[in-house]
Amino acid sequence: MVNPTTRERASVQELIAKAGNNKRKKIIEKIIPVILFLIAGVSVLTTVGIVATLIFETVTFFRQVPILSFIFGTEWLPFSNKEPKFGILPLIVGTLKITLIAVVVAVPIGLAAAIYLSEYATDNARRIIKPVLEVLAGVPTIVYGFFALTFVTPVLQTIIPDLKIFNALSPGIVVGFMIIPMIASLSEDAMSAVPNAMREGALAMGATKFEVAMKVVLPAALSGILASVVLATSRAIGETMIVSLAGGSTPRFDADFTGSIQTMTAYIVQVSTGDAGYGTPIYYSIYAVGFTLFLFTLLMNFLASRITKRFREAY
């Protein structure tokens, strides 16, 4: 038979142990928010540091180069021995050429893949196609660059004889291939989120599966689809290795897609791997170009956010 004194002693020990556990839990609950806040603060401080560096160095650049000639200049000749010129428009035009071609290639293919995966694909087909898209998204961009230079360009030259070895078409098409998984995956997620009741209601009214996909599912998922396109466009604007390898290094302010071009990212790579002296206008120009690129991507992300919010309210 258990001694009552022993039982009381055991109960007291259990209470003490529970009190200790409660104290530890309270301490942990107080510490965890602080740790999470510090971790979140690191990302915020990193962003602030990057932006501050860009702004500071860009201001230094504009002390040496007039801001109006930078914004509205149509010649980019930073390495000229006579009179260096820093008009950003040729680099912006080169970037927009690549982006335009990429979007024209990626949007139809990406949306078609998303519609198929969401509305037509069987489970077995989805299990095969989704991993393939994920692999395509994981290919290093330098591999895409050599693919554009050594395969796509020769193929295009058989169709367009005047196409130069460095041009806008080849890297633009390959950048389009690179961003297809982003558009397809995000758009497919948006379409899959559409309630099945909407599909079933349209089918009950006599609509075909294609009509349901195009007239019911697509409009209902439009906010997610547009956001995916805008984010993919932002990714194309910031692409570096493909355009550096296959696009060339000739800034041109024209509408020719068959000749050598240079994008903002390609110029940054060129100067960063070159012999630009510290403190020279050429050195500081990479920060000015980088800040311009940052404004482009910031604008695209803001546009994606606004589009998503607006169409969610509409639907």
Side-chain angles (χ1 to χ4, degrees), residues 208-223:
T208 64
K209 205 165 187 178
F210 181 75
E211 289 174 335
V212 171
M214 299 303 295
K215 297 181 180 180
V216 177
V217 177
L218 205 63
L222 195 57
S223 64

Side-chain angles (χ1 to χ4, degrees), residues 71-245:
I71 296 174
F72 299 107
T74 58
E75 290 184 286
W76 185 264
L77 303 170
F79 300 101
S80 175
N81 293 325
K82 295 181 180 180
E83 186 183 354
K85 295 182 179 179
F86 294 92
I88 191 67
L89 287 180
L91 297 182
I92 292 177
V93 168
T95 302
L96 293 180
K97 285 179 183 179
I98 297 296
T99 304
L100 176 63
I101 296 170
V103 170
V104 168
V105 170
V107 170
I109 298 175
L111 285 182
I115 291 172
Y116 174 75
L117 288 172
S118 174
E119 305 302 316
Y120 291 95
T122 62
D123 291 338
N124 290 332
R126 194 177 288 109
R127 279 196 292 267
I128 295 172
I129 296 174
K130 289 280 281 187
V132 170
L133 286 175
E134 292 171 0
V135 169
L136 193 62
V139 175
T141 55
I142 192 169
V143 175
Y144 278 117
F146 283 114
F147 173 70
L149 183 63
T150 60
F151 179 78
V152 178
T153 296
V155 170
L156 290 176
Q157 285 177 327
T158 61
I159 303 171
I160 309 172
D162 295 333
L163 188 70
K164 306 295 189 297
I165 186 67
F166 296 110
N167 57 83
L169 283 175
S170 176
I173 291 172
V174 175
V175 171
F177 290 155
M178 183 191 69
I179 63 175
I180 284 174
M182 181 181 292
I183 295 176
S185 179
L186 295 177
S187 297
E188 193 265 334
D189 289 342
M191 292 179 186
S192 297
V194 175
N196 283 329
M198 297 180 66
R199 296 179 176 86
E200 293 167 357
L203 290 171
M205 295 292 291
T208 64
K209 205 165 187 178
F210 181 75
E211 289 174 335
V212 171
M214 299 303 295
K215 297 181 180 180
V216 177
V217 177
L218 205 63
L222 195 57
S223 64
I225 292 171
L226 291 177
S228 72
V229 172
V230 174
L231 291 175
T233 303
S234 179
R235 177 67 182 85
I237 290 174
E239 173 50 36
T240 303
M241 292 309 302
I242 298 174
V243 295
S244 298
L245 289 171

Side-chain angles (χ1 to χ4, degrees), residues 11-78:
S11 300
V12 170
Q13 290 175 347
E14 289 176 0
L15 290 173
I16 293 172
K18 287 181 179 179
N21 290 334
N22 290 334
K23 286 181 180 180
R24 282 195 294 270
K25 287 181 180 180
K26 289 180 180 179
I27 293 172
I28 292 173
E29 287 297 323
K30 290 180 179 179
I31 292 176
I32 286 178
V34 176
I35 294 174
L36 295 177
F37 174 77
L38 292 175
I39 293 172
V42 169
S43 61
V44 174
L45 290 176
T46 302
T47 304
V48 171
I50 292 171
V51 175
T53 302
L54 283 175
I55 293 175
F56 178 78
E57 302 293 356
T58 301
V59 169
T60 305
F61 172 75
F62 287 132
R63 288 173 182 166
Q64 303 178 33
V65 177
I67 187 171
L68 292 179
S69 65
F70 176 80
I71 296 174
F72 299 107
T74 58
E75 290 184 286
W76 185 264
L77 303 170

